[in-house]
Amino acid sequence: MKAIVIAAALLVVGTASAQTSFDEHYELAKAGKLGAREASFAKLCGVDRDTAKITYGYSVDEGFNLKPIATVPGTDLAQIDNFGTAEVRSVDGKPRLLNVWNMIMDTGNYQNDFFCLDANGKVTAEETLNTNEPPNEPAKGWRHLERVTFAADGKKTVVKSIFVSKTGATVMPLKLDKDDKFMAMDMMSPDNVPTMLKQMMGGTK
């Protein structure tokens, strides 16, 4: 039943897809704000940014190993073209929303994953925005947004799978080659969440 409620809510907020770049996210986060897309997802998780405790992390290696940091991490910390950040919002000491950015900056590939966790730490929903912005071929760029929910038995339900513009508006499906199609549909596994939380929060799960 809970998965059905979450799925219905995700459908309602389908048009609130703005915040499609890391730079936009970074500027909003520094100002203590959320983009429309993250705000809608946070609401599903029962998270209020003003009252939730926020923990930050960043990665400077290809293995996406996170290091905790006290402030909003930006790309100025990058040591190679692979760079990543993560933010955990906790309510009553429990992680409830994880926002992850994984980037390969020289090729223009960005993946942004939101994870909603219940009070027991189980992932109940995920949203992934995959972006391809080839530096020298902007016309070949694309953004794909996918939202899924997870039932108590682990069954995954795809709520939405669409291509969007830079402003977050839905666009017509694109014809992609095999490699681009794989990247567009790729989602970070929820199985990675416990490790990321441990790296950022010193063992807190």
Side-chain angles (χ1 to χ4, degrees):
M1 179 62 69
K2 185 175 181 180
I4 294 175
V5 173
I6 291 176
L10 282 170
L11 285 172
V12 171
V13 301
T15 57
S17 300
Q19 185 190 329
T20 61
S21 73
F22 177 77
D23 289 342
E24 182 183 359
H25 159 73
Y26 178 65
E27 292 302 324
L28 287 167
K30 284 199 304 179
K33 300 178 181 179
L34 296 177
R37 190 168 61 86
E38 188 176 8
S40 296
F41 199 82
K43 188 175 181 179
L44 295 175
C45 304
V47 173
D48 183 328
R49 192 187 195 286
D50 294 332
T51 59
K53 178 182 178 181
I54 305 176
T55 304
Y56 301 103
Y58 71 103
S59 169
V60 293
D61 60 67
E62 295 181 1
F64 203 79
N65 295 295
L66 292 166
K67 302 177 181 179
I69 188 172
T71 57
V72 180
T75 53
D76 57 303
L77 296 170
Q79 299 175 6
I80 57 176
D81 288 312
N82 292 77
F83 182 68
T85 68
E87 299 176 9
V88 179
R89 289 176 172 77
S90 301
V91 178
D92 297 327
K94 302 287 187 179
R96 299 301 297 272
L97 172 62
L98 176 61
N99 179 2
V100 181
W101 283 87
N102 195 0
M103 303 166 256
I104 307 177
M105 295 182 289
D106 61 334
T107 60
N109 294 117
Y110 299 82
Q111 184 179 68
N112 180 209
D113 291 271
F114 297 157
F115 294 96
C116 184
L117 296 87
D118 65 18
N120 296 316
K122 183 178 178 60
V123 176
T124 58
E126 179 181 1
E127 175 176 303
T128 300
L129 175 70
N130 285 311
T131 301
N132 182 40
E133 295 181 321
N136 301 318
E137 299 178 288
K140 293 185 177 181
W142 47 260
R143 289 173 173 78
H144 183 265
L145 179 69
E146 185 159 342
R147 300 170 179 177
V148 301
T149 59
F150 299 95
D153 62 0
K155 181 181 179 181
K156 182 172 74 172
T157 299
V158 178
V159 177
K160 178 170 289 189
S161 181
I162 58 174
F163 286 93
V164 297
S165 68
K166 191 170 185 178
T167 63
T170 303
V171 299
M172 292 294 292
L174 305 177
K175 293 183 178 180
L176 304 178
D177 62 29
K178 183 178 179 181
D179 290 339
D180 275 7
K181 186 175 181 179
F182 174 81
M183 288 191 293
M185 305 299 173
D186 184 43
M187 301 185 79
M188 182 178 285
S189 172
D191 293 340
N192 294 330
V193 170
T195 297
M196 289 188 286
L197 294 178
K198 184 176 181 180
Q199 290 174 342
M200 295 176 66
M201 306 176 73
T204 301
K205 296 183 180 179

